[in-house]
Structures are given as C-alpha cells and as structure tokens.
Amino acid sequence: MAHRAGPHFLQIPGPSNVPGRILRAIERPTIDHRGPEFQALAKDALAKIKPIFKTEQPVIIFPSSGTGAWEAALVNTLSPGDKVLMVETGQFATLWVELAKRIGLQPELIPGDWRRGVPPEVIEERLSKDKAHEIKAVCVVHNETSTGATSRIGDVRKAIDATGHPALFLVDSISGLGSADFRHDEWGVDVTISGSQKGLMLPPGISFNAVSKKAVEASKSAKMTRSYWDWSSQLGQNPSGNFPYTPATNLLYGLIEACDMMMDEGLENVFARHERHAEAARRAVRHWGLDIQCEDAREYSPVLTGVMMPDGHDADAVRKVILEKFNMSLGAGLGKVKGKMFRIGHLGDFNDLMLCGTLSGVEMGLRMAGVPIETGGVQAALDYLSGNA
Ligand SMILES: *Cc1c(COP(=O)(O)O)cnc(C)c1O
C-alpha cells in the first residue's frame, strides 16, 4: 500500500491506540523469566494492576486474549453441567454464552434487544425463583463493546444480595477496565475478567482474572477440566514473582507503564475524561439526527458510542469511505446489527483534539456516503468541550 501521511486514526473500541510511552517500555530485550530480574518485574506488575481493579485480592495474568480469561473464569469455578445465568446485552455476551455451552455448562440466557445493559430487577426476579439454588453463577458483561451500553454492576450486585442467592458473580470488564469506573471489591465481584488491549492501552496479548476469596474457595471443588487456565498453579507461584509457564514478559513492562500512567493522571480523572468525551460524541450524533444505540441514559458507555444508521443506509459503506478517504478505522456493527450501526471508540490514550478529528472524519464520511444528516455535529461537540474544558 502507498504511504499515507500522518497517523492512522484507530477509533475502534479496542484494540486502542498504544501510546509511545508504553511502546518504548515494551521495546526491551526479553529476559530470563526464571531469573531474579524477572521476579522483581512480575511482583511489580501483579501489585500495580490491583488498584486498577480496585481490589486487594489476587489478580491472575494470562498470556492470552480476553477470550481465554472468559474461559479461565468459568473452568476454575464451575463443574460440568452447571447452570449459569447470562444476559444478552450484545455480541460479546452472546459469544460468552457460546463458549459456556461448548465447554459443557448450561447457560440460561435472558434475551435482550442490544440497546441496554443488564436489568438488575430481572436478575433479582430470576434468582428469587431459583429456590433450589440451581444457578451457580451470574455472568454479565460490564461494558458491552458491541453496543455502547455499560451495565450498572453495583446495582446488579444489590439485586443478587436482595435474594440471598449464593451464586458466584462473574463480570467481563474487558473493555470497561481502565476507562469506566470498576470496583471489584466494593461490588462483590467474584471474578472480573479483563484484557490488555482496550482501556489499558496495551497491545493485545495478556488477560486477567481478578478473584475473590469465594471464587478461590469454589475453585477447590470445581470439576471442569482445566490445565493451562488453572488458577492454583498461578496463585501458588505468583507471590514469589513466578509464573507456571512462559509469561508475556515484554507486555508486563508495558503493563507497569500503563498502570503508572493511569495512577499519575488519577483513576477518577481518567474516568471523567472518558465520560466527557462520550458526552461530546453523543452531542454530535444527536445533532446529526442519528440515534444513539444505547437507549438508557444511565447506561451510556464512556468507552464507545454506537450510532444507528437510518433505514436504507449501510454502516459498512460509511466505514469504508472513512477508511479510504481519511485513514480512520471505526468499529463495525457485529452479529445481528451488522451494517445497521457503527461504533466510535473514544477510549484509552485519547484527548480532546483526537476526538474532534474523529468526529470530523465521521461527519465528512456520512455526507460523502450520502447519509442524510444535519451538518454541524462537530460544532456541537466543540461547544460542549470548550464550555467544559
Ligand atoms: C474485546 C472483548 C472481548 C474479547 O476479547 P478478545 O481479547 O478479543 O479475546 C470480550 N468481551 C468484551 C466486552 C470485549 O470488549
């Protein structure tokens, strides 16, 4: 491909842009992962990731994409044939259900229309009917990356508590962590699943399970077959700075850098920055006269905005124009909303002017693709950003 001047705009909701500081941290000779230098590195990484989850409990790091950490959460805590309650918030929730089925669990799926998060009252109603405690885990996605709806995890916890049901609470915050507020301990989450390439600003390649005492206890009697994903060997070796197999050493350098950057900015400031960019993006979308996919204002995602297309217009055609003309990648509609919407990622290492460039590209692309819009959405975003600088 011919050289294109200027940076590519990677505005998909993950993988996100990797800042130069992290790239430079990763660019080092790989070291002996059984030596003392590595042990210090591992201890540092394992300690620094905990406040990002807002936890004091162990966080296990796998050399895998997020999907591996989904599987790890299930195989360590459950037994073959166990019933798990899941909610169809979008494509990622759907993929997790498929994974659960393939490994021999029995997911019960609460259907959804892909325009909102997990309804806490529906969880409460279902669990209160499960008098025999057949449901062993409630599995939900925190930030549904395919739609732009963020579930109220604290309220889901309260709903579970209201029923006194003993089910484990497993939460996928693969795209939420580091961008949207997440509180593993306070919200009583038993396993939080995450990944490196979204809010954490790293390249793809490492994933996480933050585990509660209850989850570790459950893992001692859980009967699913597991080897690579087994927590016990990780939990046994991690305190001395060791891993049971070769870790993604260079990504651990990057992880430490990412944690330092987030703590430097202040975690709450990171979240506020994401909220502000999301609000500016929504103002642009509304001005264009297009629908925001998430229908519940309490669940608007700070990570991405899903934009619905008017009938008769193909979102993928708009994305194609924008990629060709402006060298910007936007997220495609996934699964059953393919072609019906596109996603603007505004997460990770991202600032006001990057958002302005992104929205400008979207506005121009919509016009060039012949989508009927009210022009001036970018101005609406600028007005908001300059009034809330
Ligand atoms: C990206 C993502 C996944 C899948 O993670 P991979 O790293 O692609 O395996 C799962 N759930 C959510 C919510 C995601 O955003």
Side-chain angles (χ1 to χ4, degrees):
M1 238 210 277
H3 171 70
R4 303 189 71 170
H8 174 66
F9 270 62
L10 181 68
Q11 296 320 132
I12 59 175
S16 65
N17 296 290
V18 182
R21 222 177 119 171
I22 291 180
L23 290 174
R24 287 188 291 278
I26 292 169
E27 192 196 39
R28 290 200 208 176
T30 302
I31 56 172
D32 172 13
H33 65 284
R34 302 284 178 209
E37 195 186 340
F38 179 81
Q39 289 173 349
L41 166 72
K43 284 184 194 170
D44 202 20
L46 289 162
K48 283 188 166 159
I49 191 61
K50 288 187 187 193
I52 309 295
F53 283 87
K54 296 190 178 168
T55 187
E56 304 202 332
Q57 305 176 81
V59 178
I60 294 161
I61 306 177
F62 294 107
S64 82
S65 86
T67 302
W70 261 349
E71 181 164 337
L74 298 175
V75 294
N76 278 284
T77 55
L78 298 163
S79 297
D82 275 356
K83 187 179 257 195
V84 295
L85 187 62
M86 300 176 109
V87 185
E88 189 198 356
T89 46
Q91 177 71 359
F92 288 100
T94 305
L95 291 173
W96 201 10
V97 171
E98 291 308 315
L99 188 157
K101 279 188 201 156
R102 274 191 231 146
I103 63 174
L105 296 168
Q106 278 189 62
E108 177 179 318
L109 184 63
I110 296 171
D113 65 1
W114 294 34
R115 297 198 72 164
R116 52 192 61 232
V118 174
E121 63 285 355
V122 176
I123 299 284
E124 183 169 341
E125 198 187 314
R126 180 63 191 93
L127 289 183
S128 56
K129 282 192 193 129
D130 182 33
K131 301 282 184 230
H133 297 164
E134 283 175 353
I135 295 169
K136 300 301 178 201
V138 175
C139 305
V140 302
V141 173
H142 172 219
N143 185 74
E144 180 51 82
T145 325
S146 64
T147 67
T150 306
S151 290
R152 292 162 285 147
I153 299 301
D155 290 347
V156 177
R157 174 77 257 173
K158 283 188 199 134
I160 298 172
D161 288 346
T163 66
H165 196 291
L168 291 162
F169 188 26
L170 311 189
V171 181
D172 164 354
S173 191
I174 294 178
S175 66
L177 192 80
S179 297
D181 190 14
F182 192 85
R183 310 174 189 184
H184 178 84
D185 287 358
E186 187 187 321
W187 292 342
V189 180
D190 291 303
V191 187
T192 301
I193 297 129
S194 197
S196 56
Q197 77 274 27
K198 310 219 170 146
L200 296 183
M201 308 175 285
L202 295 165
I206 51 177
S207 68
F208 307 90
N209 276 179
V211 298
S212 73
K213 285 198 179 68
K214 184 175 164 184
V216 173
E217 211 40 55
S219 74
K220 292 176 185 159
S221 55
K223 301 223 161 32
M224 301 287 304
T225 302
R226 56 186 185 267
S227 168
Y228 187 80
W229 306 116
D230 187 42
W231 288 347
S232 63
S233 43
Q234 297 270 9
L235 292 172
Q237 295 193 32
N238 285 174
S240 58
N242 289 297
F243 285 84
Y245 39 71
T246 313
T249 305
N250 289 57
L251 290 180
L252 298 182
Y253 291 123
L255 178 63
I256 291 168
E257 197 69 16
C259 294
D260 286 347
M261 286 168 74
M262 284 188 277
M263 288 322 221
D264 227 33
E265 183 177 349
L267 216 39
E268 304 312 314
N269 296 332
V270 171
F271 302 148
R273 171 166 56 81
H274 282 79
E275 293 286 0
R276 183 166 162 277
H277 288 155
E279 175 61 27
R282 290 191 297 268
R283 286 182 185 223
V285 175
R286 285 196 199 100
H287 186 97
W288 292 328
L290 301 177
D291 277 350
I292 294 160
Q293 185 165 1
C294 177
E295 283 180 326
D296 188 332
R298 293 171 302 178
E299 296 172 340
Y300 282 149
S301 172
V303 175
L304 74 143
T305 300
V307 182
M308 307 291 290
M309 295 299 288
D311 283 344
H313 292 272
D314 178 12
D316 291 338
V318 175
R319 289 176 47 253
K320 186 163 183 277
V321 168
I322 292 172
L323 179 61
E324 283 171 3
K325 301 293 176 199
F326 305 114
N327 196 14
M328 175 162 73
S329 297
L330 296 170
L334 301 175
K336 68 185 188 190
V337 293
K338 181 170 169 42
K340 297 193 172 84
M341 57 84 72
F342 63 89
R343 298 170 296 148
I344 305 171
H346 32 71
L347 70 159
D349 186 50
F350 195 64
N351 66 22
D352 286 14
L353 295 188
M354 291 164 85
L355 178 68
C356 297
T358 299
L359 295 174
S360 299
V362 175
E363 183 161 330
M364 290 189 285
L366 285 164
R367 291 177 70 177
M368 291 166 84
V371 180
I373 57 160
E374 184 74 38
T375 57
V378 172
Q379 186 62 50
L382 300 186
D383 290 345
Y384 175 74
L385 290 173
S386 54
N388 285 276

mmCIF file of all heavy atoms in Angstrom, residues 117-143:
data_model
loop_
_atom_site.group_PDB
_atom_site.id
_atom_site.type_symbol
_atom_site.label_atom_id
_atom_site.label_comp_id
_atom_site.label_asym_id
_atom_site.label_seq_id
_atom_site.Cartn_x
_atom_site.Cartn_y
_atom_site.Cartn_z
ATOM 1 N N GLY A 117 -28.169 -2.236 29.038
ATOM 2 C CA GLY A 117 -27.332 -3.114 29.838
ATOM 3 C C GLY A 117 -28.149 -4.181 30.551
ATOM 4 O O GLY A 117 -29.295 -4.459 30.171
ATOM 5 N N VAL A 118 -27.553 -4.757 31.578
ATOM 6 C CA VAL A 118 -28.204 -5.825 32.333
ATOM 7 C C VAL A 118 -29.264 -5.209 33.256
ATOM 8 O O VAL A 118 -28.944 -4.333 34.050
ATOM 9 C CB VAL A 118 -27.154 -6.562 33.194
ATOM 10 C CG1 VAL A 118 -27.808 -7.581 34.109
ATOM 11 C CG2 VAL A 118 -26.093 -7.198 32.308
ATOM 12 N N PRO A 119 -30.528 -5.636 33.150
ATOM 13 C CA PRO A 119 -31.546 -5.080 34.057
ATOM 14 C C PRO A 119 -31.458 -5.746 35.436
ATOM 15 O O PRO A 119 -31.782 -6.929 35.566
ATOM 16 C CB PRO A 119 -32.874 -5.416 33.361
ATOM 17 C CG PRO A 119 -32.548 -6.408 32.290
ATOM 18 C CD PRO A 119 -31.087 -6.606 32.193
ATOM 19 N N PRO A 120 -31.035 -5.001 36.474
ATOM 20 C CA PRO A 120 -30.861 -5.624 37.789
ATOM 21 C C PRO A 120 -32.147 -6.288 38.296
ATOM 22 O O PRO A 120 -32.094 -7.363 38.906
ATOM 23 C CB PRO A 120 -30.469 -4.448 38.691
ATOM 24 C CG PRO A 120 -29.939 -3.404 37.772
ATOM 25 C CD PRO A 120 -30.658 -3.579 36.487
ATOM 26 N N GLU A 121 -33.310 -5.658 37.986
ATOM 27 C CA GLU A 121 -34.569 -6.212 38.513
ATOM 28 C C GLU A 121 -34.892 -7.577 37.897
ATOM 29 O O GLU A 121 -35.511 -8.422 38.546
ATOM 30 C CB GLU A 121 -35.722 -5.205 38.321
ATOM 31 C CG GLU A 121 -36.102 -4.840 36.887
ATOM 32 C CD GLU A 121 -35.117 -3.880 36.168
ATOM 33 O OE1 GLU A 121 -34.151 -3.392 36.806
ATOM 34 O OE2 GLU A 121 -35.312 -3.641 34.966
ATOM 35 N N VAL A 122 -34.443 -7.798 36.663
ATOM 36 C CA VAL A 122 -34.703 -9.100 36.023
ATOM 37 C C VAL A 122 -33.832 -10.185 36.673
ATOM 38 O O VAL A 122 -34.265 -11.324 36.880
ATOM 39 C CB VAL A 122 -34.460 -9.017 34.489
ATOM 40 C CG1 VAL A 122 -34.625 -10.386 33.825
ATOM 41 C CG2 VAL A 122 -35.393 -7.991 33.860
ATOM 42 N N ILE A 123 -32.609 -9.814 37.033
ATOM 43 C CA ILE A 123 -31.718 -10.754 37.733
ATOM 44 C C ILE A 123 -32.335 -11.121 39.091
ATOM 45 O O ILE A 123 -32.395 -12.292 39.474
ATOM 46 C CB ILE A 123 -30.318 -10.111 37.959
ATOM 47 C CG1 ILE A 123 -29.660 -9.753 36.625
ATOM 48 C CG2 ILE A 123 -29.428 -11.012 38.811
ATOM 49 C CD1 ILE A 123 -29.090 -10.895 35.844
ATOM 50 N N GLU A 124 -32.838 -10.100 39.772
ATOM 51 C CA GLU A 124 -33.430 -10.330 41.096
ATOM 52 C C GLU A 124 -34.637 -11.273 40.996
ATOM 53 O O GLU A 124 -34.772 -12.222 41.764
ATOM 54 C CB GLU A 124 -33.836 -8.983 41.720
ATOM 55 C CG GLU A 124 -34.394 -9.140 43.118
ATOM 56 C CD GLU A 124 -34.560 -7.809 43.849
ATOM 57 O OE1 GLU A 124 -33.931 -6.804 43.451
ATOM 58 O OE2 GLU A 124 -35.329 -7.794 44.829
ATOM 59 N N GLU A 125 -35.477 -10.996 39.992
ATOM 60 C CA GLU A 125 -36.681 -11.810 39.814
ATOM 61 C C GLU A 125 -36.326 -13.272 39.526
ATOM 62 O O GLU A 125 -36.886 -14.188 40.118
ATOM 63 C CB GLU A 125 -37.446 -11.212 38.624
ATOM 64 C CG GLU A 125 -38.885 -11.613 38.516
ATOM 65 C CD GLU A 125 -39.463 -11.094 37.196
ATOM 66 O OE1 GLU A 125 -39.231 -9.909 36.850
ATOM 67 O OE2 GLU A 125 -40.100 -11.903 36.492
ATOM 68 N N ARG A 126 -35.336 -13.467 38.636
ATOM 69 C CA ARG A 126 -34.973 -14.836 38.253
ATOM 70 C C ARG A 126 -34.330 -15.591 39.418
ATOM 71 O O ARG A 126 -34.654 -16.754 39.673
ATOM 72 C CB ARG A 126 -34.014 -14.805 37.050
ATOM 73 C CG ARG A 126 -33.570 -16.183 36.573
ATOM 74 C CD ARG A 126 -34.758 -17.024 36.076
ATOM 75 N NE ARG A 126 -34.411 -18.425 35.856
ATOM 76 C CZ ARG A 126 -34.557 -19.397 36.755
ATOM 77 N NH1 ARG A 126 -35.042 -19.129 37.964
ATOM 78 N NH2 ARG A 126 -34.226 -20.645 36.458
ATOM 79 N N LEU A 127 -33.431 -14.926 40.135
ATOM 80 C CA LEU A 127 -32.753 -15.614 41.248
ATOM 81 C C LEU A 127 -33.725 -15.925 42.376
ATOM 82 O O LEU A 127 -33.613 -16.966 43.034
ATOM 83 C CB LEU A 127 -31.588 -14.773 41.786
ATOM 84 C CG LEU A 127 -30.349 -14.646 40.887
ATOM 85 C CD1 LEU A 127 -29.263 -13.847 41.608
ATOM 86 C CD2 LEU A 127 -29.805 -15.998 40.440
ATOM 87 N N SER A 128 -34.685 -15.033 42.591
ATOM 88 C CA SER A 128 -35.603 -15.294 43.713
ATOM 89 C C SER A 128 -36.499 -16.492 43.426
ATOM 90 O O SER A 128 -37.003 -17.138 44.339
ATOM 91 C CB SER A 128 -36.412 -14.043 44.074
ATOM 92 O OG SER A 128 -37.083 -13.599 42.939
ATOM 93 N N LYS A 129 -36.650 -16.836 42.142
ATOM 94 C CA LYS A 129 -37.440 -18.027 41.785
ATOM 95 C C LYS A 129 -36.607 -19.307 41.902
ATOM 96 O O LYS A 129 -37.146 -20.401 41.887
ATOM 97 C CB LYS A 129 -37.940 -17.912 40.344
ATOM 98 C CG LYS A 129 -39.135 -16.990 40.217
ATOM 99 C CD LYS A 129 -39.765 -17.162 38.830
ATOM 100 C CE LYS A 129 -40.743 -16.041 38.557
ATOM 101 N NZ LYS A 129 -40.509 -15.387 37.251
ATOM 102 N N ASP A 130 -35.297 -19.163 41.974
ATOM 103 C CA ASP A 130 -34.411 -20.338 41.989
ATOM 104 C C ASP A 130 -34.194 -20.796 43.438
ATOM 105 O O ASP A 130 -33.094 -20.705 43.974
ATOM 106 C CB ASP A 130 -33.082 -19.973 41.313
ATOM 107 C CG ASP A 130 -32.112 -21.150 41.248
ATOM 108 O OD1 ASP A 130 -32.581 -22.306 41.110
ATOM 109 O OD2 ASP A 130 -30.895 -20.916 41.371
ATOM 110 N N LYS A 131 -35.253 -21.328 44.015
ATOM 111 C CA LYS A 131 -35.202 -21.705 45.441
ATOM 112 C C LYS A 131 -34.191 -22.830 45.699
ATOM 113 O O LYS A 131 -33.617 -22.924 46.779
ATOM 114 C CB LYS A 131 -36.586 -22.179 45.919
ATOM 115 C CG LYS A 131 -37.669 -21.125 45.764
ATOM 116 C CD LYS A 131 -37.591 -20.066 46.862
ATOM 117 C CE LYS A 131 -38.746 -19.087 46.739
ATOM 118 N NZ LYS A 131 -38.306 -17.678 46.774
ATOM 119 N N ALA A 132 -33.997 -23.689 44.688
ATOM 120 C CA ALA A 132 -33.089 -24.836 44.872
ATOM 121 C C ALA A 132 -31.630 -24.453 44.614
ATOM 122 O O ALA A 132 -30.742 -25.296 44.706
ATOM 123 C CB ALA A 132 -33.499 -25.965 43.938
ATOM 124 N N HIS A 133 -31.386 -23.194 44.284
ATOM 125 C CA HIS A 133 -30.025 -22.716 44.009
ATOM 126 C C HIS A 133 -29.324 -23.528 42.926
ATOM 127 O O HIS A 133 -28.168 -23.915 43.062
ATOM 128 C CB HIS A 133 -29.192 -22.688 45.300
ATOM 129 C CG HIS A 133 -29.731 -21.725 46.310
ATOM 130 N ND1 HIS A 133 -29.362 -21.746 47.639
ATOM 131 C CD2 HIS A 133 -30.642 -20.718 46.188
ATOM 132 C CE1 HIS A 133 -30.025 -20.783 48.291
ATOM 133 N NE2 HIS A 133 -30.806 -20.159 47.443
ATOM 134 N N GLU A 134 -30.073 -23.759 41.846
ATOM 135 C CA GLU A 134 -29.501 -24.485 40.704
ATOM 136 C C GLU A 134 -28.553 -23.599 39.906
ATOM 137 O O GLU A 134 -27.650 -24.093 39.237
ATOM 138 C CB GLU A 134 -30.628 -24.975 39.787
ATOM 139 C CG GLU A 134 -31.324 -26.206 40.350
ATOM 140 C CD GLU A 134 -32.506 -26.623 39.505
ATOM 141 O OE1 GLU A 134 -32.868 -25.890 38.558
ATOM 142 O OE2 GLU A 134 -33.067 -27.686 39.811
ATOM 143 N N ILE A 135 -28.778 -22.302 39.950
ATOM 144 C CA ILE A 135 -27.908 -21.375 39.219
ATOM 145 C C ILE A 135 -26.630 -21.190 40.029
ATOM 146 O O ILE A 135 -26.668 -20.782 41.190
ATOM 147 C CB ILE A 135 -28.624 -20.020 38.983
ATOM 148 C CG1 ILE A 135 -29.827 -20.230 38.054
ATOM 149 C CG2 ILE A 135 -27.663 -18.977 38.416
ATOM 150 C CD1 ILE A 135 -30.761 -19.037 37.954
ATOM 151 N N LYS A 136 -25.506 -21.529 39.409
ATOM 152 C CA LYS A 136 -24.239 -21.489 40.150
ATOM 153 C C LYS A 136 -23.481 -20.182 39.946
ATOM 154 O O LYS A 136 -22.605 -19.848 40.738
ATOM 155 C CB LYS A 136 -23.333 -22.668 39.732
ATOM 156 C CG LYS A 136 -23.963 -24.038 39.993
ATOM 157 C CD LYS A 136 -24.291 -24.233 41.466
ATOM 158 C CE LYS A 136 -24.974 -25.583 41.697
ATOM 159 N NZ LYS A 136 -25.733 -25.598 42.953
ATOM 160 N N ALA A 137 -23.786 -19.486 38.851
ATOM 161 C CA ALA A 137 -23.087 -18.213 38.610
ATOM 162 C C ALA A 137 -23.955 -17.282 37.779
ATOM 163 O O ALA A 137 -24.728 -17.731 36.927
ATOM 164 C CB ALA A 137 -21.761 -18.461 37.893
ATOM 165 N N VAL A 138 -23.821 -15.991 38.064
ATOM 166 C CA VAL A 138 -24.421 -14.943 37.235
ATOM 167 C C VAL A 138 -23.257 -14.334 36.459
ATOM 168 O O VAL A 138 -22.277 -13.884 37.055
ATOM 169 C CB VAL A 138 -25.113 -13.874 38.112
ATOM 170 C CG1 VAL A 138 -25.635 -12.726 37.249
ATOM 171 C CG2 VAL A 138 -26.224 -14.495 38.949
ATOM 172 N N CYS A 139 -23.351 -14.356 35.121
ATOM 173 C CA CYS A 139 -22.237 -13.906 34.279
ATOM 174 C C CYS A 139 -22.702 -12.726 33.433
ATOM 175 O O CYS A 139 -23.604 -12.891 32.606
ATOM 176 C CB CYS A 139 -21.797 -15.023 33.332
ATOM 177 S SG CYS A 139 -21.387 -16.560 34.173
ATOM 178 N N VAL A 140 -22.121 -11.564 33.636
ATOM 179 C CA VAL A 140 -22.553 -10.396 32.871
ATOM 180 C C VAL A 140 -21.367 -9.624 32.291
ATOM 181 O O VAL A 140 -20.246 -9.692 32.794
ATOM 182 C CB VAL A 140 -23.426 -9.435 33.724
ATOM 183 C CG1 VAL A 140 -24.659 -10.143 34.270
ATOM 184 C CG2 VAL A 140 -22.632 -8.813 34.850
ATOM 185 N N VAL A 141 -21.668 -8.889 31.233
ATOM 186 C CA VAL A 141 -20.663 -8.043 30.597
ATOM 187 C C VAL A 141 -20.831 -6.626 31.145
ATOM 188 O O VAL A 141 -21.947 -6.086 31.135
ATOM 189 C CB VAL A 141 -20.824 -8.063 29.063
ATOM 190 C CG1 VAL A 141 -19.896 -7.053 28.398
ATOM 191 C CG2 VAL A 141 -20.556 -9.472 28.527
ATOM 192 N N HIS A 142 -19.756 -6.041 31.636
ATOM 193 C CA HIS A 142 -19.805 -4.696 32.214
ATOM 194 C C HIS A 142 -20.029 -3.657 31.107
ATOM 195 O O HIS A 142 -21.054 -3.007 31.061
ATOM 196 C CB HIS A 142 -18.500 -4.427 32.978
ATOM 197 C CG HIS A 142 -18.330 -3.029 33.474
ATOM 198 N ND1 HIS A 142 -17.115 -2.392 33.442
ATOM 199 C CD2 HIS A 142 -19.207 -2.147 34.008
ATOM 200 C CE1 HIS A 142 -17.269 -1.173 33.949
ATOM 201 N NE2 HIS A 142 -18.513 -1.003 34.297
ATOM 202 N N ASN A 143 -19.041 -3.538 30.218
ATOM 203 C CA ASN A 143 -19.179 -2.597 29.102
ATOM 204 C C ASN A 143 -19.359 -3.414 27.819
ATOM 205 O O ASN A 143 -18.415 -4.059 27.365
ATOM 206 C CB ASN A 143 -17.941 -1.706 28.995
ATOM 207 C CG ASN A 143 -18.095 -0.640 27.927
ATOM 208 O OD1 ASN A 143 -18.808 0.334 28.094
ATOM 209 N ND2 ASN A 143 -17.449 -0.850 26.785
#
